[in-house]
Each structure stands twice: as structure tokens, then as C-alpha cells.
Amino acid sequence: MNFSKSLFPFLLCTLTLTTCSDTPYQHRQVLTVANTVKAPLLNINHHIRYTLRPSETFEFPIKQGEIGPYLPLYSGDLSYPFACSSYESGLGQPEIDNHELLGTPVFKEKNGQLTPQVLGFSKDCLVKTQIRFYVAKNEKQYQEVHDLKTLKLNETDILLRVEQGSINRYIYVIMMPITLPEVTDRTASSLWNKRLIYQFAGGVGIGFLQGKLDPTQLIERRFNQLKKGYAVISSSGNKTSYTYNMLQAEETATRVKKQFIALYGKPLYTVGIGGSGGGLAQYLLAQNAPGLIDGALPLYSYPDMVSQTLYALDCDLFNNYYTFRSDLAFWDNSERKLAIEGLNNNETEHKSWFFYPINQLLHLKKPYLPKNYSECINGYFGLSALVNNPDQGFLKPNFSPNVKEITHWSYWQDLANVFGKDQHGFANSIWDNQAVQYGLVALQNNQITPQQFIDLNYQIGGWKPAHQMKKEQLLFVPFTNIGIWLSQWSNHNINQANERPAKRSKASLSAIERAYRYGQVFLGFNDIPTIDIHHYLEPQLNMHHVSTAFATRLRIAEQTGSIHNHKIWIADPAYTPLEEAFLAMDKWLLQPESLNQEQVSDRCFAADGSVIAKGEDVWNDKWNQQQQGDCAKQFPIYSNSRIQAGGPWSGSIFKCHTVSVATAIQAGLYGNHDMKPYQEQLAAIFPDGVCDYRLGDSAKPKDLIADESTTHPSIAFSN
């Protein structure tokens, strides 16, 4: 998941001051939005983990040349618009399903090229199942093969049968290493070692796209495993660049795996792998649907997406405060910024420098160019405009102007089936900062003064409700595609302080409850062997910070009382310990009784691949209130803004319990500071009280965990 690379051309082009070229399929826009197609939504009493899924109604396998299932069994209504990507994925245009301008136009083709003649439209982007073949020499040398009759293979070449089609509207892939005589038999698999990899993938997605799935990316990622005989399956519905709906992702992955088993039989095991959003998907799907994967290799992972948004959406609030509501020069300081943001920072340069003086002058402020940038900017630049602003949408030409105008674009909208909608028709949000005291730990540690603490919390505010948000304001230089951002840090969508403190954001309590019940939150269930792998990217101010691995661990320890199944491997960016991880996972799954815990213990790696330290205590640090271990000394662990506001390292409180300001002062919540002189000001900022994180999440359902006598249902896979 990389916000700064996957947002929209506004960030990729405008903010880098480069010229954007049109996409080659600009005329293949979604023209008109179809009506919502009703489909069942799973009814949940406790947590989805304890809820039986309905029986499959589709008969697998999908026959070659036919279309897979597209109506959900239990993940809820199909929403539109939904832009097709099969043509860009090399699978040809989607099947025509209407002539009413609904969805993506399908054009007549001539000599392999699209002509201007429209034959019909596709609103659901369905694709017939088809077989392709690839030859790979290594992870960098591969090609699709069209003439199999004259094909000759070298001893080191790998021949791959690649099946693709659509399941649940998304593109799926099954990749199997085969021998040359097996090209005519769809189910032949003599080279298969009976081990299956489910490839998940990351990115920041807000829905509305079928998404591309290029087989060559799988070859590049999994060449070493394919060479050893592993089979690989995946779906664009399990790539978070296209959706973070984990209920939909679960049903899609389940059906893709059923297609594989119907063709080849049950594997010895299925191991998941994937980075960032593809990592958190493994945690959530293993928790929500036991049996879907048997082992997990999450890379650069977070516990879940919704927890990350808590502090990620704080970032533009901070930057807005520094730039327009306070003395930016004062906050252009590493120690002060670290004290309230928690994320790493250093003196560097970021492409956003160009917009500072322009926006400061527009706000009648003296221009100042900062020298210090934090992960809040380098990692989460533009996040709020993409995931939180329903009026922004895609600027890439996937959708016609009328579709852009009527659609509510946001991360929350993609989850409307789960979160529900408000009275204005916008999806409910679970982001809340109503009682959050930003910089509380900095105050307690005497890194900021009471006056600075008061000013920060008085001015910082929260995000406006969805129906009040507006697009980013851009001014384009005449005769160019160079844009000037006139609403830096989306300041026009942040509540302002006038005679009263800036209003905070209040989440939907029902949406938070449903986020818990429908498995969008990682509770800490960890039944399967898991090796959580990170590169140490804090010096680069990369958003994939390592504290997330320890947030995950704390939840596992709290929920299960054991971290036996959870190992953390963190490495220098020059080395990736994936081969060791696959070998360790294979033994862990097939020979657990002979597994030496030293083979999978927590550890950290140097640039040359050597193990710096390993063992149970190597990652001890502030996150578990233990004396710093050897790996934590080598790779320091940073926090985030909610931890610096007094929240837990596990990072899983969406709506805190509150106490009055008077009670907080009496309890000594503010360290050695006498806050009684500021009580009236604090009470004005926090009329409903301040967070008491010791009490947990007030919106978390009390009946979430089923009775001990209730066993969770496993996802059933039969031959």
C-alpha cells in the first residue's frame, strides 16, 4: 500500500509538476451508472468468525469458454459504477450485457484493434474462462507463447499454464507449472508439488474498478516457488488497489480456491503471501474464515486498514495546523513533530514544497518553506483526498463526467454494504477524533507547554461530514497540465476554529459495530502459522513502518493469550528473507512436531542476510513496556499520533470511553502540569469529555465473541 504512488493523477502528475499523458483506452469510460443489483448479505449475530456461510450454488469448475459466477452468495449488493479492466489485462473486451449505455462500452474490433463502432456495453465486466501459456527463464525473462506446436524448451525453462476468467466480477488467475505434453490437458499437473500459494496484493483502493491482473507480475513475484512446483492463484478482487471490502474479498478468494480444487484436487496446504494491503488481508481472512489459508506470510503489513486510517487521517490535520493555524517555523522541528505525530521525520525535501508559499499567501500568512518532513507527508501525502473525500473521485479517465458527478467516491463508500449510509446517502465513516487529546504524551513528557497543547487541540479540528466536502481546488497553468494546489492539506474540508474550538469528527457508532462484526477489524485471532516480514523503511519515511507488526502482536496476545503462531522478521532493505520464510513455513505446516522454534523465532537481518539477533526478547521495547531488545536497538520502533495522544500501541480503539476534563485533571492525566487554570478552555474543546483509553472501545460490541461452546465454522473445500 503506497498512498503517494497510487492516488490519482493529481498526485502522480500535478504535484510532481510533470505532464500527464492520456491513457490508451480513454474512450473506454463507464458512461452511465446501473442500478444497484440486490444480493444477500450475511446475517451476523456475534462475529463473522462464528457465522456459517451459505452453501455454494455454482457448480465448479467453470468450463473453458464459459463465465464464472458473478452474483455474491453473502457479501451484499453489487454497486456501480464498475469499470472493466479485462482488455488492459490482455483478456480482450468483456462480454456485452446491455445496450443501455450502462458501464464500459464494447467496441467492434478489426485486425486486433478497437474501432469507433460500439457494439454494446458491459456493466459487470464478465470474461469467459480462457487458457494462456507462458515460458519463463527467470523472474525477469518470460514471454507468452502462442504457437505451442513449434515450442522448444531448454532444461531451465518453466512452462506455465495460466487460466483466467472472471469470478465475482473480478479477474482470477490459476498458474500451474506443466510439461510440454500437458498443454492439451487442462487438468494435467505432473510437476505440481501439491502446495498452493494464494497471492494477495496491496495498494490503496476505493472500489469501483475491476482491476488489472497481469500474469507476468505473478511470474516475477513467485518464480522461485513456481520453479519448485508450487501452484499460484490470485484475483484482482484480492488486491487492495481495487477494494478493501474484506467480506467481498473473502467470498472471491473462496470461489477462486474452489475453482482450483475442482480442477486439481485439494492441496497439502494453502499459504498466503502479499504485501501491505495484501498482508492485512491475510490476517483478516484467516481470522474471519478459518480454512481459507493454512499459513500466512504478510509483508509490510498492518493489522487492518480501518485502524491505520485513525492516525493516517490525522496527518493532514497536523499539516493544516502547522501551515495555516500556527507558527510553521516553530513546528519545523524534529523533536516537536515526533512528540505529537510519533512517526519518524528528518530534514529532507518533498515535492509539496512548491505549494507552501502560494497557499500561505492565500491565507494571508508570511511564506515559510519547511526543512523537516515526516512520514505524515512522505508516506501519506494525498491520502485524505483519495479515501475520505467523496467528491474527489478518480481523475484518470475511467468514468465519464456525468458518472463522476453523481458518484460518492471514498474508501467508506466501497464498504457501504457493511457500514451503511447516512441520511444524505453517503456511506457512514468510522473515523473519530471527538475526544482525542493530541500531543498528550508530549505534554506529560514536558516536550510541549500547556499553552501549546491547548492551542493544538483548539485549532486542529476534524474532517467535515461527507456531504459538506468539496473537490480539491486546482489552478492549471495556461496551455499546460501543470496544476497549482490551492487547497493544500485539503484545508477546505477541515473544520475551522472561529470564536469556538474547531469542531471534531464524530463516527457512526452503528458503522463501528458492523466493522467489528463483519471482520474489517483484526481482533487478534491467529490460528495459523504466520511470519510477519518487514523491511526497515523508517529512514526513508515510508508508510510501511514496523510498529504495525507489534500492534498486531499485542492484539493476538490479548485475544488468544499466546503468540506461538506469530513470528516477526525485520530486515535491512537490501535483503529479503523470503526463501527462508517459505522453507520454514513448509516445515511448520507439514512437520510441526519436528520444527525447532529457533527456525522460526523472531529475528532481524543485516544487509548481507546474516541474522543480527533472534529469540523471544529481541523486539522488546516501549510497545510491550520491556527493556529494549537487540533487534529493537538495531531497528528503532516509532509510534503514531494516537499513541502520542495516550492511546494503546495495539491501535484498535475507534470510539474511546470518556471522562470529564475535571476528572482527568484530578486523576493526574496531564503529568506534572497543573491544568486547573486551563480547565475551562479544555472543557470548551472537549465538551463531551476526553479519552480514557484504559476502558477500551465504547463502540465495540460486548457480545462479539461467541459462547465457548460455539465452534467457529471452517470454510469447507471438497474435491
Side-chain angles (χ1 to χ4, degrees):
M1 183 168 19
N2 191 323
F3 290 120
S4 60
K5 290 186 178 179
S6 63
L7 297 187
F8 40 78
F10 166 52
L11 296 179
L12 295 178
C13 309
T14 301
L15 298 188
T16 54
L17 307 182
T18 60
T19 300
C20 292
S21 59
D22 292 335
T23 66
Y25 309 108
Q26 185 172 1
H27 58 299
R28 299 188 69 247
Q29 298 174 334
V30 171
L31 298 184
T32 306
V33 179
N35 292 326
T36 298
V37 173
K38 297 293 182 181
L41 179 66
L42 198 63
N43 185 31
I44 298 174
N45 291 323
H46 298 287
H47 183 267
I48 189 172
R49 177 181 174 86
Y50 303 100
T51 306
L52 287 169
R53 312 304 193 266
S55 299
E56 179 60 70
T57 57
F58 187 87
E59 186 176 347
F60 289 98
I62 309 162
K63 295 182 174 61
Q64 192 171 344
E66 295 189 0
I67 295 172
Y70 83 98
L71 282 176
L73 283 173
Y74 57 84
S75 57
D77 299 342
L78 295 180
S79 59
Y80 301 91
F82 191 70
C84 305
S85 306
S86 60
Y87 191 77
E88 295 86 338
S89 299
L91 298 175
Q93 297 186 87
E95 295 299 303
I96 294 172
D97 55 30
N98 75 92
H99 294 84
E100 286 77 47
L101 305 181
L102 300 175
T104 304
V106 178
F107 296 88
K108 182 178 180 179
E109 298 184 37
K110 184 177 181 179
N111 300 324
Q113 300 295 318
L114 303 185
T115 71
Q117 183 180 349
V118 177
L119 301 177
F121 297 83
S122 180
K123 64 180 178 61
D124 289 312
C125 307
L126 306 181
V127 182
K128 291 179 179 177
T129 291
Q130 52 192 274
I131 306 293
R132 303 160 76 179
F133 296 92
Y134 285 80
V135 172
K137 296 182 180 297
N138 54 52
E139 61 269 24
K140 297 296 183 183
Q141 291 182 289
Y142 46 79
Q143 62 179 359
E144 185 173 2
V145 179
H146 300 283
D147 185 2
L148 294 168
K149 293 181 180 179
T150 60
L151 177 63
K152 294 183 180 179
L153 298 175
N154 295 324
E155 287 186 6
T156 58
D157 291 345
I158 303 175
L159 179 60
L160 300 167
R161 181 196 301 120
V162 178
E163 176 180 314
Q164 287 186 277
S166 60
I167 289 177
N168 285 19
R169 301 196 297 176
Y170 292 100
I171 297 170
Y172 79 91
V173 62
I174 295 175
M175 189 171 286
M176 177 68 75
I178 60 171
T179 64
L180 193 55
E182 291 177 322
V183 296
T184 57
D185 185 349
R186 182 188 182 192
T187 61
S189 57
S190 64
L191 298 182
W192 182 33
N193 65 7
K194 305 304 180 184
R195 295 157 174 84
L196 180 61
I197 294 172
Y198 203 112
Q199 178 71 58
F200 297 90
V204 183
I206 59 171
F208 310 103
L209 300 175
Q210 180 183 45
K212 293 185 289 186
L213 205 166
D214 186 348
T216 61
Q217 291 183 345
L218 283 183
I219 295 172
E220 290 175 1
R221 288 174 170 172
R222 302 278 72 85
F223 176 81
N224 288 338
Q225 289 73 51
L226 289 163
K227 188 174 182 179
K228 294 176 181 178
Y230 285 80
V232 181
I233 59 178
S234 190
S235 167
S236 61
N238 296 115
K239 184 173 183 177
T240 56
S241 287
Y242 307 124
T243 181
Y244 267 96
N245 186 327
M246 287 299 125
L247 185 61
Q248 180 178 265
E250 175 205 306
E251 184 177 337
T252 301
T254 299
R255 282 178 152 174
V256 172
K257 187 173 176 181
K258 285 183 176 179
Q259 172 71 0
F260 178 89
I261 290 174
L263 290 170
Y264 301 110
K266 293 183 69 174
L268 291 172
Y269 61 73
T270 303
V271 61
I273 189 170
S276 193
L280 69 84
Q282 294 172 71
Y283 279 119
L284 290 174
L285 297 187
Q287 167 187 267
N288 301 343
L292 181 56
I293 58 175
D294 305 298
L297 295 173
L299 317 174
Y300 308 110
S301 185
Y302 307 85
D304 52 59
M305 174 64 168
V306 287
S307 299
Q308 186 195 12
T309 64
L310 289 175
Y311 58 89
L313 286 175
D314 284 341
C315 281
D316 276 3
L317 298 184
F318 282 126
N319 289 320
N320 180 67
Y321 170 73
Y322 303 146
T323 308
F324 306 121
R325 305 184 183 185
S326 66
D327 181 0
L328 179 56
F330 173 82
W331 289 106
D332 191 28
N333 174 281
S334 179
E335 291 184 4
R336 292 191 191 108
K337 196 172 287 187
L338 183 64
I340 63 169
E341 292 182 15
L343 302 167
N344 193 23
N345 66 84
N346 56 49
E347 289 197 2
T348 181
E349 187 174 287
H350 189 266
K351 56 196 173 188
S352 63
W353 72 266
F354 177 79
F355 303 106
Y356 276 94
I358 298 169
N359 279 269
Q360 287 166 338
L361 287 171
L362 288 174
H363 284 73
L364 305 179
K365 296 223 14 158
K366 181 181 178 181
Y368 175 85
L369 290 179
K371 302 178 181 64
N372 182 281
Y373 292 89
S374 74
E375 187 187 313
C376 256
I377 293 178
N378 283 55
Y380 294 104
F381 186 63
L383 163 69
S384 61
L386 176 70
V387 307
N388 197 45
N389 185 351
D391 204 34
Q392 187 61 51
F394 297 90
L395 294 189
K396 287 185 179 180
N398 296 307
F399 305 95
S400 59
N402 68 304
V403 171
K404 288 183 181 180
E405 189 66 29
I406 64 174
T407 303
H408 298 162
W409 311 95
S410 74
Y411 164 77
W412 315 111
Q413 203 71 32
D414 188 32
L415 289 156
N417 279 348
V418 173
F419 293 158
K421 298 180 181 180
D422 64 18
Q423 60 182 336
H424 304 284
F426 292 83
N428 290 321
S429 165
I430 68 171
W431 193 86
D432 188 284
N433 74 340
Q434 192 177 20
V436 176
Q437 298 191 90
Y438 293 110
L440 178 62
V441 173
L443 177 66
Q444 294 169 343
N445 294 336
N446 298 309
Q447 294 169 292
I448 58 175
T449 67
Q451 293 86 353
Q452 291 159 355
F453 174 73
I454 293 287
D455 187 70
L456 170 63
N457 283 285
Y458 187 97
Q459 299 281 356
I460 195 165
W463 294 100
K464 292 181 179 179
H467 68 279
Q468 294 180 7
M469 286 192 172
K470 303 297 181 184
K471 291 183 178 69
E472 298 300 323
Q473 298 169 12
L474 300 174
L475 176 65
F476 285 90
V477 177
F479 311 110
T480 75
N481 283 333
I482 297 176
I484 300 173
W485 190 12
L486 302 180
S487 54
Q488 193 174 9
W489 314 127
S490 203
N491 61 77
H492 63 311
N493 289 319
I494 299 173
N495 293 320
Q496 302 279 340
N498 296 310
E499 295 180 359
R500 296 182 178 181
K503 188 177 180 180
R504 299 296 186 92
S505 298
K506 186 176 181 180
S508 163
L509 298 184
S510 64
I512 296 175
E513 177 184 348
R514 290 172 68 84
Y516 275 110
R517 292 198 190 280
Y518 280 89
Q520 286 289 137
V521 182
F522 182 64
L523 300 177
F525 288 105
N526 184 230
D527 305 317
I528 64 175
T530 304
I531 303 176
D532 191 312
I533 303 172
H534 283 251
H535 281 138
Y536 188 72
L537 302 175
E538 265 75 348
Q540 292 93 316
L541 307 183
N542 188 284
M543 64 181 293
H544 297 103
H545 42 264
V546 299
S547 67
T548 54
F550 304 102
T552 301
R553 171 158 293 183
L554 284 169
R555 298 189 200 184
I556 292 170
E558 181 179 353
Q559 186 65 60
T560 68
S562 170
I563 57 170
H564 176 76
N565 283 333
H566 190 248
K567 309 301 175 185
I568 297 174
W569 292 7
I570 298 177
D572 183 280
Y575 183 73
T576 305
L578 268 186
E579 290 305 304
E580 297 99 315
F582 269 107
L583 288 171
M585 183 61 68
D586 189 67
K587 191 167 186 179
W588 202 349
L589 289 169
L590 296 181
Q591 299 174 301
E593 68 286 345
S594 64
L595 183 72
N596 184 337
Q597 284 299 308
E598 282 294 301
Q599 295 175 288
V600 292
S601 60
D602 287 351
R603 62 193 59 191
C604 50
F605 297 84
D608 62 0
S610 61
V611 176
I612 299 170
K614 61 181 179 179
E616 293 182 358
D617 60 357
V618 294
W619 289 116
N620 284 348
D621 207 348
K622 291 180 181 178
W623 65 273
N624 64 350
Q625 299 178 324
Q626 300 292 322
Q627 185 175 350
Q628 192 176 48
D630 291 339
C631 284
K633 290 177 183 176
Q634 183 72 27
F635 297 130
I637 302 166
Y638 292 86
S639 67
N640 61 56
S641 59
R642 295 302 172 106
I643 296 171
Q644 297 305 112
W649 279 82
S650 57
S652 53
I653 295 180
F654 298 92
K655 187 68 177 177
C656 65
H657 285 274
T658 59
V659 295
S660 69
V661 169
T663 301
I665 292 174
Q666 187 176 4
L669 191 63
Y670 302 97
N672 61 4
H673 296 283
D674 179 10
M675 299 300 285
K676 287 183 180 179
Y678 306 98
Q679 182 171 332
E680 186 175 342
Q681 289 175 278
L682 283 171
I685 298 170
F686 303 107
D688 299 311
V690 296
C691 286
D692 186 343
Y693 288 108
R694 297 170 300 177
L695 303 175
D697 192 337
S698 67
K700 183 177 180 179
K702 291 182 172 56
D703 63 345
L704 200 56
I705 308 303
D707 185 87
E708 290 297 324
S709 62
T710 304
T711 57
H712 59 74
S714 294
I715 297 293
F717 295 100
S718 57
N719 290 329

